Amino acid sequence: MDRIRIVGGQRLTGTIPISGAKNATLPLMIAGLLTEDTLILENVPRLADVIQLQRILGNHGVDILIAGKRPGVDPKNGRTIHISAKHIVDTTAPYELVSKMRASFWVVAPLVARMGEAKVSMPGGCAIGTRPVDLLIMALTRLGADIEIEAGYVMARAPKGLRGAEIVFPKVTVGGTHTAMMAASLARGTTVIENAAREPEIADVADCLNKMGANITGAGSARIVIEGVAKLNGARHAVLPDRIETGTYAMAVAMAGGDVLLQNARPELLQSALDVLAGAGLRVTPTNEGIRVTRNGSGLAPVEVTTAPFPGFPTDLQAQLMALMTRAGGTSRITETIFENRFMHVQELARLGANIHLDGQTATIEGVARLKGAPVMATDLRASVSLVIAALAAEGETTVNRVYHLDRGFERLEEKLSACGAAIERISG
Ligand code: UD1
């Protein structure tokens, strides 16, 4: 199993290219199941989760072609993939595949919408709370699917097709909104989704679906209206930049000090996080090329933050912010409202010398003058990158074990950071 070794204390200077968003790529690839034609996605990040989803789609009979190198194109830029679901040969998504990545459960929506049936294993994914799928099932039921749950599988049937409906989510759910939107695109009649997730990745997927011939309005707001169509076609779509990767590297610079251009990043995708970081003492300057972040010498100010659905502070940046606040000059408070049990990084940060007290869903972080390197363990995707951030400012050497979690969501992390001067390397085996 690979490890990452970091020696703290180096400032970061240079350019970090921001990859395409993982959380848009996955539903966009799944949307490829909605059409017989080819869906071409550009700016696809090289991530373990993308490869895993390729396997899952392949099992349904989807051909995925990854375009080779093109003259003049930087091989470090995202890839272009061609997804062709001409013949769906199997509507079952088995446990062995779905249990590795929660978002793969979302295939249930296009399969039942296009094929009239789907049998999908209940999901796995990051161990951050119970993460049920009841709201996704509710949405499909509202659209007329007949659902049975048996032996760990969700069986969805709609032999005569889905029909438009009003879907009111009692709580904001990204996966629920994606699945409702995809399924409703091929339903007969009008669907209205109320209390929809407003995450930018929802709007990106809606854009792509509209290019494929869907009729979706309001994506990005809390009310999405979908006029169902009989058929969708192929399209070409470039994945939007990853706001979580952007925020993570902004925090790395806040932690280590330095001056870095986050190339291709878009400030409007993470304004709440950028505001928090500016409050903590990071200089954030939008430029034509992306976002420039600088911190020179000054200390970090503590913050009070509560995670919330977009446009609030993202839960996917909570662990990274906590790592940063371990070095602030004072007491910070971070409250997690989206997932219970998303504090697995706390005990690992403590191994580096952090002073964090947990009370229910609120962490109180007393800033310390110094962190000290130690061996630590990655537990989930976002928690593991928070350890990398802490290690950048820790004295001496930190080894992060089980980095396969990192590889699920961060493309070439050690290369991107070492190109800016961090002392970081991957140790294989
Ligand atoms: C997505 C993101 C993940 C992010 C999360 C919240 C992807 C691939 N993943 O996950 O990175 O952390 O949004 O921004 O885009 N819930 C239910 N019942 C359901 C569905 C969800 O109770 O049927 C609850 C969840 O347990 C959680 C909350 O709703 O407490 C939000 O979950 P949701 O927005 O659905 O998260 P994901 O789509 O799984």
Side-chain angles (χ1 to χ4, degrees), residues 334-343 358-363:
I334 303 182
T335 302
E336 171 60 54
T337 68
I338 309 292
F339 294 110
E340 78 268 27
N341 196 19
R342 202 176 210 187
F343 283 125
L358 265 185
D359 184 10
Q361 292 297 100
T362 299

Side-chain angles (χ1 to χ4, degrees), residues 22-24 26-27 49 102-103 106 128-137 171-178 197 199 201 243-244 308-310 314-316 337-340 342 381-382:
K22 168 180 95 69
N23 284 356
L26 302 178
D49 269 8
R102 181 183 158 80
W106 302 347
I128 50 169
T130 44
R131 303 189 83 173
V133 288
D134 54 324
L135 299 176
L136 284 68
I137 290 173
K171 133 190 230 186
V172 175
T173 153
V174 172
T177 306
H178 277 308
E199 269 63 7
E201 293 76 20
R243 63 195 165 96
I244 303 304
F310 192 85
T315 175
D316 287 349
T337 68
I338 309 292
F339 294 110
E340 78 268 27
R342 202 176 210 187
L381 173 52
R382 311 302 175 185

